[in-house]
């Protein structure tokens, strides 16, 4: 879910060569799109039985467990050094704890389809922020046009001509803020953790542990221990964490290592389509004409913001 998808965890470059995976990258690409697309449905189901902070804490617990098992299998250690852990704590806040919580709170009042589309605005936020924070990202007419087109798409999804009638403003704002957290965390990581020498699996394992600790401290302050553990929401949280966080991050970095971040991040454009289809087909959520049209405009704008002139590579 949730910046460009290639930046939802620590984007440190791989330090060692990895053997060629058994599954073709296109199959893993499709699996990743399905996992992240259905994540918004799983969040919705989880909030039907548990408080938003509890949903996020459970998600992080299961996700961290999967990555730690992968670390044990690969015989990798957690990063060392207080400076690295300090930067990872900030990354964990903006890339995991905060956006995951905001999406869980948002889906208490907005459909999962709308949350998935709001998530697709991350490349737009990222482009706007990178022009200010990253000196190597220079503005071009195409990228500025993409930002404007994406903004028009957001207004279309929200039905601005109707005065946002029937729209839960608070829930939508939280979903948009969650999508903004990802590029903030991504830019921070690029500036502080790009050359640590640690492996991706080790870094994301530490990051998820720190995010879990952050939610473990916050959750008891705002929620009480659940008196009933509904099976459906509990299974949804387990799947959300194990698949949508743990397995998805491992697949993501395998794709980045094999085909590069530009191709890997294209999964971002499939996620809202799958999230919308899942919300309508499984949860029976309503869908007005402006939602898919606006989502298509958002994705077109996001694609333009990620484009480069021929011969110019993305840092």
């Amino acid at each position: 879910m949730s910046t460009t998808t290639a930046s939802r965890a620590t984007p440190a470059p791989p330090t060692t060569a990895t053997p060629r995976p058994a599954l073709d990258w296109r199959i893993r690409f499709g699996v990743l799109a399905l996992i992240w697309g259905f994540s918004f449905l799983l969040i919705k189901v989880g909030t039907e039985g548990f408080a938003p902070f509890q949903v996020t804490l459970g998600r992080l617990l299961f996700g961290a467990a999967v990555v730690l098992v992968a670390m044990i299998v690969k015989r990798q250690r957690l990063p060392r050094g207080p400076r690295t852990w300090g930067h990872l704590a900030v990354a964990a806040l903006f890339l995991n704890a905060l956006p995951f919580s905001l999406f869980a709170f948002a889906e208490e009042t907005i459909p999962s389809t709308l949350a998935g589309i709001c998530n697709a605005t991350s490349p737009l936020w990222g482009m706007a922020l990178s022009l200010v924070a990253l000196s190597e990202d220079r503005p071009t007419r195409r990228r500025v046009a993409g930002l404007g087109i994406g903004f028009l798409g957001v207004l279309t999804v929200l039905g601005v001509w109707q005065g946002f009638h029937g729209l839960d403003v608070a829930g939508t704002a939280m979903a948009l803020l969650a999508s903004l957290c990802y590029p903030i965390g991504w830019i921070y990581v690029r500036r502080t953790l790009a050359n640590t020498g640690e492996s991706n699996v080790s870094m994301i394992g530490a990051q998820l542990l720190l995010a879990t600790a952050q939610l473990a401290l916050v959750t008891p302050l705002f929620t009480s221990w659940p008196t009933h553990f509904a099976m459906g929401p509990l299974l949804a949280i387990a799947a959300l964490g194990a698949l949508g966080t743990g397995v998805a991050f491992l697949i993501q970095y395998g794709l980045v290592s094999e085909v590069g971040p530009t191709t890997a991040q294209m999964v971002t454009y499939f996620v809202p389509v799958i999230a919308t289809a899942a919300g309508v087909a499984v949860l029976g959520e309503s869908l007005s004409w402006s939602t898919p049209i606006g989502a298509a405009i958002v994705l077109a704008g996001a694609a333009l913001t990620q484009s480069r002139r021929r011969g110019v590579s993305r840092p």
Side-chain angles (χ1 to χ4, degrees), residues 113-185:
T113 54
L114 180 56
I117 293 170
C118 288
N119 181 74
T121 64
S122 283
L124 303 176
W125 296 119
M127 180 265 183
L129 291 173
S130 65
L131 294 179
V132 177
L134 299 174
S135 58
E136 67 267 26
D137 280 344
R138 302 295 183 183
T140 63
R141 291 181 180 178
R142 179 179 294 184
R143 300 183 72 198
V144 172
L147 188 61
I149 291 172
F151 180 67
L152 290 176
V154 172
L155 294 180
T156 303
V157 171
L158 301 182
V160 64
W161 61 90
Q162 299 174 340
F164 307 112
H165 177 69
L167 181 73
D168 185 87
V169 177
T172 305
M174 283 190 286
L176 290 171
L177 183 58
S179 71
L180 173 61
C181 289
Y182 292 126
I184 292 175

Side-chain angles (χ1 to χ4, degrees), residues 9-14 189 193-196 198-200 203 253:
T10 313
V189 165
L193 291 168
N195 300 302
T196 61
E198 302 286 351
S199 73
N200 287 328
M203 295 288 275
Y253 280 117

Side-chain angles (χ1 to χ4, degrees), residues 117 120 149-150 153 156-157 269 272-273 290-303:
I117 293 170
I149 291 172
T156 303
V157 171
Y269 308 123
V273 177
S290 62
T291 302
I293 296 298
I297 298 173
V298 168
L299 294 177

Side-chain angles (χ1 to χ4, degrees), residues 1 32-41 270-272 274-276 278:
M1 293 164 321
L32 181 60
L34 285 172
I35 289 174
W36 268 331
F38 271 87
S39 291
F40 297 96
L41 180 151
F270 293 88
V271 169
I274 296 171
T276 299

